[in-house]
Amino acid sequence: MTEAAELPEAPEQARTVFGEYFPEAVRYAELLADAGVKRGLIGPREVPRLWERHLLIPEGVTVCDVGSGAGLPGIPLALVRRDLKITLLEPLLRRTNFLQEVVELLGLDHVTVVRGRAEEMLGKITPVHVVTARAVAPLDRLAGWGVPLLRPYGEMLALKGDTAEEEIAGARAALSRLGVVETSVLQVGEGVVDPMTTVVRVEVGESPGGVRFAAKRAKAARTSKTRRRR
């Protein structure tokens, strides 16, 4: 069994970010550093970095955290933003079990855990305003999973590294086919985390997923209506 890594003390900036929910944020970090490592949800080397990232989302929107894993960035976002309706989407059972435990333990009534792959969720979950994702895959593949889950004119926010600009350039054709109309690189967390977090913002037009997913979306809508009539 993997040994739990030592969790560093929460930085003072975390109190500013999480406010009244700071105790819940500390508890979640403790769960990640202990059960999260023991269950193989995160690696021991990630524990010292648990307090380093911060992400801002518009008010009152729906969010799907794709490939949520141990709940990053979905759980920290849920702790500070009770106005959001957040879906944690994860295909592995052991991870969804952990996520459900965390949601119940921390009283996150605005969070839903769904087990499944993003590419199988079209028509099964309501399209969202924002998709979030860590750097779990190259940008073109990540967009292929996340963009079709968006509402028209929604956006995907992907946590990336120093090669973000290069990834956008290499994925531009694939992003265009998915209905992406705008891409940008943001540096977030100024004055809160050091170094700041690099986020790739991918904005879509009226057809998320592009022509490729238009027929699938229409079929899913027809299937959903049929089920409701029954």
Side-chain angles (χ1 to χ4, degrees):
M1 181 178 292
T2 305
E3 289 187 8
E6 183 177 353
L7 177 67
E9 184 177 353
E12 193 60 35
Q13 295 95 325
R15 294 182 182 274
T16 301
V17 174
F18 291 100
E20 64 181 298
Y21 302 110
F22 176 71
E24 285 87 350
V26 172
R27 180 64 178 131
Y28 175 55
E30 292 171 347
L31 286 167
L32 284 176
D34 187 3
V37 173
K38 290 178 179 177
R39 298 186 193 184
L41 301 175
I42 64 171
R45 294 183 180 179
E46 293 184 55
V47 172
R49 303 179 57 213
L50 286 178
W51 293 107
E52 288 182 5
R53 290 188 172 184
H54 173 56
L55 184 63
L56 296 178
I57 302 286
E59 291 185 5
V61 304
T62 52
V63 178
C64 182
D65 188 24
V66 171
S68 193
L72 299 168
I75 294 293
L77 185 61
L79 286 170
V80 296
R81 298 294 302 276
R82 304 287 169 136
D83 61 302
L84 305 177
K85 291 186 177 179
I86 300 176
T87 298
L88 306 179
L89 181 59
E90 168 58 45
L92 296 183
L93 179 60
R94 63 185 174 85
R95 293 178 178 174
T96 54
N97 285 343
F98 174 79
L99 291 172
Q100 192 61 51
E101 290 173 20
V102 170
V103 166
E104 293 174 3
L105 182 65
L106 301 182
L108 301 176
D109 297 334
H110 58 306
V111 177
T112 302
V113 178
V114 175
R115 184 186 176 197
R117 298 182 181 279
E119 56 268 36
E120 300 168 350
M121 289 296 110
L122 195 64
K124 295 182 180 178
I125 63 174
T126 304
V128 297
H129 296 91
V130 178
V131 164
T132 59
R134 288 184 296 161
V136 296
L139 183 59
D140 55 349
R141 195 187 314 166
L142 198 58
W145 297 337
V147 166
L149 301 179
L150 291 169
R151 294 174 48 154
Y153 307 105
E155 61 184 60
M156 184 181 78
L157 300 173
L159 277 65
K160 284 289 184 179
D162 297 336
T163 61
E165 295 281 4
E166 289 84 349
E167 282 204 53
I168 289 176
R172 202 168 298 281
L175 294 176
S176 178
R177 289 193 295 270
L178 287 167
V180 172
V181 297
E182 187 77 29
T183 58
S184 56
V185 176
L186 311 175
Q187 296 292 325
V188 300
E190 183 176 5
V192 179
V193 292
D194 185 21
M196 291 190 291
T197 298
T198 300
V199 179
V200 172
R201 171 180 277 166
V202 173
E203 302 173 69
V204 300
E206 63 182 14
S207 184
V211 176
R212 175 184 172 190
F213 285 91
K216 291 183 179 180
R217 198 181 301 278
K219 181 179 179 180
R222 290 194 299 271
T223 301
S224 178
K225 288 181 180 179
T226 301
R227 287 173 180 168
R228 286 200 296 269
R229 288 170 185 164
R230 293 176 182 173

